[in-house]
Amino acid sequence: MHGFRQHLPGQRALLALAVLGLAGSTFAAPPADMVPIPAGRYTPLLRSTKDAPQVAVAAFLLDARPVTNAEFLAFVTANPKWRRSQVSKLFADSSYLENWTGDLEPGLKAPLPAPVVRVSWFAARAYARAAGKRLPTIAEWEFAAAAGYTGPDGRKDEALNRDLYAWLARPVPAVLADVATAKPNFYGACGLHGLVWEWVDDFNTAMVTGESRADTGLERDLFCGAGSIGAKDTGDYAAFMRSALRSSLQANNTTSSLGFRCARDVTLTASTP
Amino acid sequence: MKTTTVLATLFLATAGFTLAAETPANAAPPEADACCAEKPAPKKDACCAAMAAAPFRKESIYQLDVTFTDDTGKTVPLGALRGRPVVLDMFFVSCGYACPLTVTDLLAIQGRLPAELRKEAVFVLVSFDVARDTPAMLAKYRADRGLDGQWVLLHGSDDAVRELAALLGVKFKQEADGAFSHSNLVTILNREGEIVHQRQGLQGGLDEAAAALAAAK
């Protein structure tokens, strides 16, 4: 654990160089709490026959850690309409921040350094907007999360997979661990696996219904263009779980294990000769 | 920010009532506005002007603070639809399958409304295709499909479209060929912007939609 931290800065500098390795451009240094994710390709789990097998992901910045109760407290303090007692049920269901003691008191069940959960997509989006950020897309999140602890391809990273499946097998604890306990992956992003599930901006793109029998057949009546959908890697059980979770959610839903982190475009400025 | 304060006040005022989630969408709200909930009489204009200043109800989708542009280039905040019953559909101009069928169905719904309601009801099409369905493209679509003045065709930012879709429960995704996969979902809103009915799929449901529109207060 400590070892990771120690060689991270060097690793990150290399990555930053990879991200920036564009002639004639300079890179605005990422904020301390974000890590650069280099450009790459993401292979969607589910795709229709019209889709390309891979999706290009541009370089972007990702929060190193999920948003904490402390950070969300600052947000609701500054934005009263997102407080538990004041939020519209259209934008956050009745269990929004239910684990908090009060509107502005996270309390014992929601320690300040732990990831915030029981937040809706609308609330996560509003937080990101207020922070001058946005939510990552599915492609961005999955690309960043596909890395292992030591390399960009986590599929063969035994330590990562052991941790991931151990987490999936554990019930959600009553009190979540501090975000600082999460291990950084190859890019320096901590806790993409092993802390909480995370909202993505385009969660509502999965063309499936809540009815599993209906999902297997053609649903042209319900979904235009959903005629052909297929999965690429049926062995990636965790990716199926994330996909199933996303497709089951409504934008105002909140759950005891669903949090979020923010992303931001990489800002490149042409260097003046 | 003004809206925020007003909403905050509204929610504080209604904090003692049952949770919104437990209230059927079409139930009378606990404190119906006396104003435009009544039959719009000759004094309708004054009445609705007064109502527009009141805070949105807590089930109103008009609380979503987003703005669109219509096919004449005019800016249309979502909340500007308030005061009239609305039939809302998300679509895209180049759709080759479901959207043209749905628009045909909406025209059929419009055709079977009683004359009074036909003058009042608004048919709103919001495009998924934020890149290609410019106001000019929407204007051409209006002409091609012969949509009259009761129809409002809207173009919005990616954010506005995504948030509206999320609020309505519409799923959508742009495919590699530029077309959109999307839910086929027509939403009926009452005069306050509360969802009173949704028609899912492409088969039937026209009478139900027309009835919901007629019943929408």
Side-chain angles (χ1 to χ4, degrees):
Chain A
M1 184 74 201
H2 208 63
F4 278 112
R5 286 284 154 72
Q6 276 172 345
H7 70 249
L8 247 183
Q11 219 172 39
R12 271 194 221 170
L14 277 178
L15 280 168
L17 280 177
V19 172
L20 321 178
L22 302 164
S25 303
T26 53
F27 179 71
D33 56 351
M34 300 188 92
V35 293
I37 308 293
R41 302 191 74 76
Y42 157 66
T43 306
L45 181 70
L46 299 169
R47 62 186 182 89
S48 71
T49 48
K50 285 187 284 179
D51 286 344
Q54 290 195 311
V55 179
V57 179
F60 68 103
L61 299 175
L62 185 65
D63 281 354
R65 295 179 180 79
V67 172
T68 62
N69 286 307
E71 291 163 332
F72 205 77
L73 173 62
F75 166 70
V76 297
T77 303
N79 298 276
K81 78 185 242 192
W82 289 105
R83 291 178 194 172
R84 191 174 72 185
S85 66
Q86 294 177 35
V87 76
S88 163
K89 294 293 177 283
L90 286 185
F91 302 129
D93 66 22
S94 53
S95 66
Y96 175 66
L97 297 178
E98 194 184 43
N99 56 332
W100 284 24
T101 305
D103 257 9
L104 300 175
E105 293 165 72
L108 295 176
K109 282 190 257 170
L112 291 174
V116 68
V117 289
R118 294 207 176 279
V119 285
S120 66
W121 177 82
F122 284 112
R125 231 169 180 258
Y127 175 97
R129 198 180 293 135
K133 299 178 182 176
R134 58 179 174 80
L135 296 183
T137 63
I138 292 176
E140 288 172 335
W141 195 97
E142 290 289 339
F143 177 73
Y149 293 136
T150 54
D153 184 356
R155 279 175 301 182
K156 298 199 172 63
D157 189 324
E158 283 179 25
L160 177 102
N161 284 298
R162 198 167 48 239
D163 289 353
L164 169 57
Y165 287 97
W167 175 60
L168 292 176
R170 269 196 308 272
V172 181
V175 177
L176 292 165
D178 294 1
V179 295
T181 62
K183 284 187 204 172
N185 75 1
F186 178 63
Y187 302 123
C190 305
L192 285 166
H193 305 294
L195 266 184
V196 287
W197 304 100
E198 297 183 10
W199 279 110
V200 287
D201 200 45
D202 51 350
F203 80 98
N204 62 340
T205 54
M207 297 296 143
V208 289
T209 65
E211 165 78 68
S212 59
R213 282 167 302 176
D215 288 348
T216 58
L218 284 182
E219 278 298 306
R220 289 205 81 178
D221 263 14
L222 298 184
F223 298 112
C224 178
S228 45
I229 220 156
K232 52 110 192 180
D233 184 354
T234 50
D236 195 347
Y237 175 69
F240 270 105
M241 286 188 72
R242 290 193 294 275
S243 177
L245 172 68
R246 286 172 197 139
S247 63
S248 72
L249 291 168
Q250 296 287 331
N252 69 337
N253 286 164
T254 69
T255 87
S256 60
S257 56
L258 180 59
F260 69 103
R261 75 179 69 206
C262 304
R264 183 185 278 173
D265 292 348
V266 168
T267 43
L268 285 168
T269 41
S271 59
T272 44
Chain B
M1 249 17 238
K2 238 180 276 165
T3 328
T4 313
T5 325
V6 176
L7 283 177
T9 319
L10 174 69
F11 292 133
L12 285 176
T14 55
F17 290 94
T18 42
L19 290 175
E22 292 159 14
T23 313
N26 54 359
E31 19 177 3
D33 284 307
C35 198
C36 271
E38 307 281 317
K39 267 246 149 51
K43 55 169 185 174
K44 179 184 159 200
D45 285 348
C47 174
C48 285
M51 191 183 75
F56 293 123
R57 289 188 191 157
K58 61 182 182 175
E59 289 287 316
S60 171
I61 72 161
Y62 298 152
Q63 292 171 93
L64 185 67
D65 189 11
V66 291
T67 296
F68 296 91
T69 307
D70 74 9
D71 60 326
T72 67
K74 196 180 76 173
T75 299
V76 181
L78 184 62
L81 297 168
R82 187 183 199 179
R84 302 168 73 184
V86 169
V87 181
L88 181 56
D89 179 43
M90 298 190 77
F91 87 123
F92 64 109
V93 167
S94 59
C95 179
Y97 178 63
C99 313
L101 292 177
T102 304
V103 169
T104 299
D105 283 350
L106 299 192
L107 283 163
I109 292 173
Q110 189 181 19
R112 67 182 69 184
L113 297 179
E116 185 96 339
L117 185 56
R118 203 179 312 161
K119 272 184 261 165
E120 254 201 295
V122 196
F123 290 77
V124 181
L125 299 178
V126 181
S127 174
F128 295 113
D129 199 342
V130 300
R132 292 182 296 187
D133 288 354
T134 56
M137 190 64 109
L138 294 175
K140 182 175 179 299
Y141 188 80
R142 175 192 290 279
D144 290 348
R145 292 301 312 256
L147 307 177
D148 67 19
Q150 300 301 105
W151 289 68
V152 176
L153 278 59
L154 298 178
H155 166 268
S157 67
D158 184 64
D159 273 353
V161 169
R162 191 167 292 286
E163 294 199 349
L164 178 62
L167 200 50
L168 299 173
V170 170
K171 296 183 173 189
F172 72 101
K173 175 172 177 281
Q174 187 160 25
E175 307 293 350
D177 63 2
F180 289 80
S181 290
H182 58 89
S183 312
N184 296 321
L185 197 61
V186 171
T187 301
I188 312 285
L189 302 173
N190 66 13
R191 289 173 172 78
E192 283 293 330
E194 294 159 323
I195 296 175
V196 292
H197 181 74
Q198 286 192 312
R199 179 245 202 177
Q200 197 175 42
L202 292 171
Q203 311 291 331
L206 301 190
D207 286 332
E208 291 84 346
L213 203 53
K217 292 288 184 245

